Amino acid sequence: MFFDILTLFPSMFQGAFSDSIINRAVEKGVISISIHNIRDYSDDDRHKTVDDYPFGGDAGMLIKPQPLSKAICDAKKRLEGMEPVVVYLSPQGELLNQSVVESLLNEKSLILLCGRYKGIDQRITQKYVDREISIGDYVLSGGEIPAMVLVDAVTRLIPGVLGNRDSAEGDSFYNGLLSHPQYTRPRDFEGMGVPEILLSGHHAKILEWKKEQALKLTKQKRPDLLEKYCKKTGKEL
Ligand code: SAM
C-alpha cells in the first residue's frame, strides 16, 4: 500500500516511521510512504505563505485552498493508476476503529491530508476529500499524529507485515473482543502467580480459558463492544 502524506511538518514523521514494524514494512516493500510539505506548493514565491484569516471574523488562521489543491493534485499524479483515496484527518470525521482500519486495507493508496491551525478551507473538503477520519473526540494541534496512528494501525494488518512475534491475532478488537490477560516469566512475580491452566500444556483448555477471559474482560471494561459482538455472532451471554 502507498501512503502519500501532505503536511506542514514533515520532520514530525521521522522518528515515528524509522523504527520497528513500520520501518520493516517499508524495507520489505509491503508499504511505501512519501511525505510532502504543503508549503512547497504555495504560489507565494517570496514568503511561501499557506494560511490566511477566515472569512466571518473567527479567531485563528486557516490553510488556504491554493497550496492544498496543488499538493493533492500532485499526489494524485504520483499515484496514477493506484486509485488514491484522499483522507483528511479531522476531528469531524468518522471515528477510527478496527472496522474503519480494515476498510482501508482494501485500498491501493491513500493520500493523508494533515490540517493545522484552525483547519482547512471547506472547499478543499468538498472538492477533493473522499473520507474524513478522526482519532477521537478531542482536538489536536494538527493531523500529523492522527496520520501516524492511521498508518500504524493499517500497516500492522497487512498480510506479511507482522511475524509471529508481534502477531495481530489475539490482539484486542481482532475478533471484536478485548484480548485475554497475558503473562510472561517469571512464574512468580512479587508473590503473584500465573493461572495454572496456562502452564498445563493442555491446548484445548487453554484456548477455552482465553475465550472465557476475553469475554469476561470485555464485559467488565467495554460492555458496548460485547453487545456488538453478541449481535454479530448471534451469541447470548
Ligand atoms: N477548527 C477545527 C474544528 O473545530 O473542527 C479543528 C482544527 S485542529 C486545531 C487542526 C488540525 O488538526 C485539523 O485540521 C486536523 O487535521 C487535525 N486534528 C485535530 N484533532 C483531530 C482528531 N481528533 N482527529 C484527526 N485529526 C485531528
Side-chain angles (χ1 to χ4, degrees):
M1 184 182 290
F2 286 76
F3 296 99
D4 207 287
I5 301 176
L6 307 177
T7 168
L8 284 169
F9 294 92
S11 60
M12 281 182 72
F13 292 89
Q14 276 164 15
F17 291 162
S18 63
D19 288 307
S20 187
I21 289 165
I22 302 292
N23 189 43
R24 274 205 319 264
V26 171
E27 283 179 350
K28 277 188 187 172
V30 181
I31 61 164
S32 157
I33 302 176
S34 72
I35 299 170
H36 302 272
N37 195 335
I38 296 166
R39 200 171 293 283
D40 294 339
Y41 295 92
S42 168
D43 61 4
D44 169 8
D45 290 338
R46 268 186 58 197
H47 303 291
K48 292 282 171 201
T49 311
V50 289
D51 56 331
D52 210 334
Y53 294 97
F55 286 121
D58 291 327
M61 303 296 273
L62 279 183
I63 309 186
K64 302 199 295 179
Q66 178 277 319
L68 289 172
S69 138
K70 212 169 165 189
I72 294 168
C73 291
D74 200 33
K76 285 189 170 185
K77 259 191 225 147
R78 280 191 292 274
L79 298 170
E80 210 174 335
M82 283 186 278
E83 299 150 43
V85 173
V86 179
V87 176
Y88 171 41
L89 285 313
S90 154
Q92 300 182 12
E94 56 184 319
L95 275 180
L96 187 66
N97 59 25
Q98 198 73 358
S99 61
V100 172
V101 172
E102 282 167 17
S103 74
L104 294 170
L105 275 177
N106 303 322
E107 308 301 346
K108 294 190 187 114
S109 67
L110 299 177
I111 295 171
L112 303 181
L113 180 56
C114 306
R116 273 275 153 181
Y117 317 126
K118 295 298 280 182
I120 66 174
D121 188 291
Q122 181 61 26
R123 290 163 294 183
I124 290 295
T125 316
Q126 203 176 306
K127 180 160 182 191
Y128 295 105
V129 172
D130 300 308
R131 289 181 80 166
E132 274 185 81
I133 295 182
S134 164
I135 64 161
D137 287 344
Y138 41 81
V139 174
L140 297 161
S141 317
E144 288 75 13
I145 293 172
M148 291 173 205
V149 169
L150 188 148
V151 170
D152 189 298
V154 171
T155 301
R156 58 184 286 108
L157 292 187
I158 298 176
V161 169
L162 296 186
N164 222 1
R165 192 185 165 89
D166 322 288
S167 160
E169 249 170 81
D171 275 346
S172 294
F173 310 113
Y174 188 81
N175 62 3
L177 296 172
L178 299 183
S179 165
H180 56 82
Q182 290 176 300
Y183 301 84
T184 183
R185 283 183 289 187
R187 279 167 80 147
D188 183 283
F189 175 68
E190 298 186 352
M192 292 177 284
V194 170
E196 277 303 320
I197 186 77
L198 295 178
L199 311 171
S200 69
H202 195 302
H203 294 302
K205 284 197 173 150
I206 292 176
L207 219 61
E208 205 179 306
W209 180 88
K210 287 180 178 174
K211 192 72 189 275
E212 272 170 24
Q213 292 295 314
L215 287 166
K216 193 172 149 197
L217 275 188
T218 311
K219 191 172 179 185
Q220 258 171 26
K221 295 181 178 173
R222 292 289 305 274
D224 58 312
L225 276 186
L226 188 64
E227 205 181 310
K228 272 191 212 150
Y229 175 82
C230 290
K231 265 193 200 144
K232 200 172 159 190
T233 56
K235 287 193 176 138
E236 277 182 38
L237 293 165

